Amino acid sequence: MPMAAARIPPPGTRRPRGAHAAHGSRAPRPIVAAAASAALALLLAACAAPVTPPGLSDLLARPAERALLDGMRAYDDGQYAAAEIALRQALSLGLENARDRAGAHKLLAFIQCTSERIAGCEDDFRAARAADPGFTLGRAEAGHPLWGPVYRRVLP
């Protein structure tokens, strides 16, 4: 059986509309192709731009982070009343980082436990875990005789 000759249009003529669809593909439209190229260029440019983390001076310009630092300093200096005020202020001002919020609650839990305010200690340990689901005490902290048992009871 002889094969039918394929109809090839003469040079300089256009294929009829839908000719590409008959072969299972569509010809790209110039506007769509240009838009896709522009989107790809923007995406690649965004990926190439380095993201610089905030510096210490940037963080200290934020009131919540400044209050957190003040609370940590007061805690380290043994000034627990001042530490509690600063840490609560840091939380109320809206610490951006979940680990910072958990750390503030952890120190508040320590202060509460050492002040024999066990219900508050429990609440702050729960709040630390709520702020950061990965929150845990270090081995030495978990073994502390005042807050270790409370921590283990509240966050097994």
Side-chain angles (χ1 to χ4, degrees):
M1 212 177 205
M3 291 191 72
R7 295 180 119 191
I8 300 174
T13 61
R14 297 181 65 179
R15 287 185 178 203
R17 283 190 179 248
H20 293 290
H23 297 313
S25 65
R26 294 187 68 174
R29 296 202 166 113
I31 294 174
V32 173
S37 295
L40 181 61
L42 285 172
L43 180 63
L44 292 174
C47 291
V51 176
T52 305
L56 182 58
S57 59
D58 298 325
L59 292 175
L60 293 178
R62 300 178 189 166
E65 283 73 9
R66 171 60 110 184
L68 175 63
L69 180 61
D70 292 344
M72 293 168 67
R73 283 183 180 158
Y75 182 88
D76 286 343
D77 291 342
Q79 302 196 357
Y80 303 118
E84 184 172 3
I85 291 167
L87 293 167
R88 292 204 186 285
Q89 181 183 21
L91 289 166
S92 70
L93 290 171
L95 289 167
E96 291 183 25
N97 185 284
R99 288 177 59 189
D100 288 344
R101 290 190 304 275
H105 282 294
K106 176 183 86 168
L107 293 179
L108 286 168
F110 292 173
I111 293 167
Q112 302 245 33
C113 278
T114 57
S115 301
E116 299 180 2
R117 294 179 276 162
I118 303 305
C121 179
E122 292 172 347
D123 291 344
D124 276 307
F125 277 135
R126 285 188 193 102
R129 178 67 59 83
D132 178 8
F135 168 77
T136 59
L137 290 184
R139 189 175 188 164
E141 293 171 331
H144 192 277
L146 293 176
W147 57 72
V150 177
Y151 169 77
R152 288 188 298 276
R153 182 176 65 248
V154 172
L155 302 176

